[in-house]
Amino acid sequence: TRAHAPTPADPRPPVPAGAIDGVVRDSTGRAMPNVDVALPALQRQTTTDEGGRFVFGGVPAGTYQVAAFAIGYAPTRAPV
């Protein structure tokens, strides 16, 4: 996959319905903390926790692009 594209958490904690969650990882598979993650279509943004995890709750049904931005890495987008 991409250098730090959001990928599903493993193991995955329970997430409320209408949510998008994931883990941002680098090219070696290591979780990346403090990465800015955005849902541009909804103008929402969050930052990954120490385990690289992020959650967007209250997301209407649909298809979205999740974007990840970290210093020293190329911006990455992934469809969800």
Side-chain angles (χ1 to χ4, degrees):
T1 314
R2 292 168 280 276
H4 54 77
T7 57
D10 185 26
R12 210 168 131 166
V15 175
I20 296 173
D21 71 319
V23 176
V24 177
R25 298 183 185 279
D26 66 16
S27 60
T28 68
R30 192 178 78 210
M32 295 179 63
N34 303 312
V35 173
D36 292 324
V37 180
L39 278 176
L42 300 180
Q43 298 180 347
R44 294 182 55 192
Q45 186 167 331
T46 191
T47 303
T48 59
D49 66 13
E50 290 181 13
R53 292 178 295 274
F54 67 90
V55 176
F56 290 102
V59 178
T63 302
Y64 297 94
Q65 290 279 321
V66 174
F69 306 92
I71 295 172
Y73 292 85
T76 302
R77 291 182 182 259
V80 294

